[in-house]
Amino acid sequence: MADRLKHFRAGLLLALSSAVLFWPISYWFPLPEYLGVLGSEDYADYALALRSIVIIYLVFLLLNLVTAGLAATKLSHTLKFWLALSPAAIILVLPFILIIPTALSFPERSYAEIFQAMYRLLRFSSPQLLALALICTLISVALNIRAALMFKAAPDPGAINPKIRTRYFIYAGVALLVFAVIVPLGAYNGALRSQDRAACNRYAALEIPQLDEDVPTFLSEIRVIGESAGNRSLQNLFINFSDISRQYLALLDKEPEGSVVLKEMGTLTAQAKDEVARVCSEYGSK
């Protein structure tokens, strides 16, 4: 009975591992859109490596869920051991190997620089996001290794007390419910980030007006772009930049050049613009 319990517990660890890894995977949602981006000319030199990394993460997630379900069966503990350990070894090593050809193409750059640049193309566009993605990956790998060792140490997944079995099925149901909440939430947040990314790309493509009479139209376009962003915080930044710029533009006709009010409003306008640029820099990849 103790061996069967270990199998159940290992299955719960695998479910937890999948939930942890889903966070970095959610940055590629909507998935068809991101895979389409990887198929564009801009990504042609890196598409194979990037697609392979995405596939490795997705296969790891799905295989973990399948193995977690198999943990409740009397399937050979050796097979369960390899099903838990193999994807952990692959996801720990293969992404680093896949980046090597790209690193060799840029001998003037260090491997660490190329690695960070590649993961930026995977939408982990800041050191903090990259660190969190790697931490989630390492936690998932550690959970898988722990689950694999539990399978290995329990060679006889025999019968179990019905009450204990029911209790663990309830645990599994709760884990499944949590995962059922995490997936739509991750997809929703991914959709919002996709809208933010599109807004930032539209903003970056705007042409700076050459004539004064074109400035109001330019500011209106910035406001429209802001309203199309997904997250409220980015919407507010764009709208604030547009509104403050309009106030500054109006003061140019009223205040003498060099006035304190004009200088203060000019500073606020520059700060609003810089804040938009800072946040949009997090969406540097498509």
Side-chain angles (χ1 to χ4, degrees):
M1 185 173 77
D3 284 359
R4 192 70 183 277
L5 276 177
K6 288 179 180 178
H7 282 227
F8 282 159
R9 290 168 182 168
L12 291 176
L13 285 179
L14 292 173
L16 178 59
S17 173
S18 297
V20 171
L21 198 70
F22 186 77
W23 181 83
I25 289 175
S26 70
Y27 271 76
W28 305 324
F29 282 11
L31 193 57
E33 175 189 294
Y34 182 60
L35 292 177
V37 167
L38 294 183
S40 65
E41 287 188 12
D42 293 341
Y43 286 71
D45 295 335
Y46 321 107
L48 179 59
L50 295 175
R51 281 179 175 170
S52 298
I53 292 173
V54 170
I55 290 171
I56 288 168
Y57 272 73
L58 291 174
V59 169
F60 182 100
L61 177 72
L62 295 175
L63 192 56
N64 261 14
L65 293 175
V66 170
T67 310
L70 292 175
T73 70
K74 295 182 180 180
L75 195 68
S76 166
H77 77 288
T78 302
L79 180 57
K80 293 176 184 176
F81 168 78
W82 286 111
L83 284 174
L85 186 63
S86 298
I90 290 171
I91 201 172
L92 184 63
V93 175
L94 201 53
F96 292 91
I97 295 176
L98 288 169
I99 291 173
I100 290 176
T102 303
L104 294 176
S105 302
F106 299 93
E108 72 281 1
R109 302 281 186 179
S110 68
Y111 178 85
E113 290 177 308
I114 299 299
F115 182 86
Q116 185 168 351
M118 291 289 282
Y119 267 74
R120 185 177 180 85
L121 294 178
L122 288 169
R123 295 182 172 173
F124 306 118
S125 52
S126 69
Q128 294 80 9
L129 278 178
L130 175 58
L132 285 173
L134 295 178
I135 288 171
C136 286
T137 302
L138 290 175
I139 290 174
S140 293
V141 168
L143 290 171
N144 267 56
I145 292 174
R146 177 58 180 159
L149 293 175
M150 291 176 73
F151 285 134
K152 186 177 182 180
D156 183 24
I160 191 171
N161 185 300
K163 289 184 178 180
I164 297 177
R165 182 177 58 204
T166 301
R167 183 195 308 165
Y168 273 85
F169 280 154
I170 292 173
Y171 293 160
V174 171
L176 183 62
L177 179 61
V178 170
F179 203 82
V181 172
I182 289 175
V183 171
L185 185 60
Y188 174 71
N189 288 331
L192 292 182
R193 286 193 295 268
S194 179
Q195 292 175 343
D196 287 346
R197 188 174 293 105
C200 287
N201 287 334
R202 285 177 60 191
Y203 172 67
L206 281 179
E207 293 186 7
I208 304 299
Q210 302 297 318
L211 303 174
D212 291 345
E213 53 265 29
D214 293 334
V215 174
T217 302
F218 174 75
L219 296 179
S220 295
E221 289 178 350
I222 291 177
R223 187 179 184 89
V224 170
I225 288 172
E227 291 171 347
S228 71
N231 283 289
R232 176 68 64 181
S233 57
L234 185 58
Q235 291 179 12
N236 291 338
L237 288 178
F238 272 113
I239 292 172
N240 183 57
F241 176 36
S242 176
D243 291 346
I244 289 179
S245 297
R246 286 183 180 279
Q247 294 173 28
Y248 178 63
L249 188 64
L251 284 175
L252 287 174
D253 296 330
K254 298 178 181 179
E255 295 289 331
E257 185 177 351
S259 71
V260 174
V261 175
L262 198 60
K263 286 182 178 179
E264 289 179 351
M265 188 56 67
T267 300
L268 290 175
T269 303
Q271 289 175 348
K273 181 181 180 181
D274 290 344
E275 192 64 17
V276 169
R278 182 189 66 80
V279 174
C280 279
S281 67
E282 298 177 4
Y283 299 98
S285 57
K286 295 182 180 179

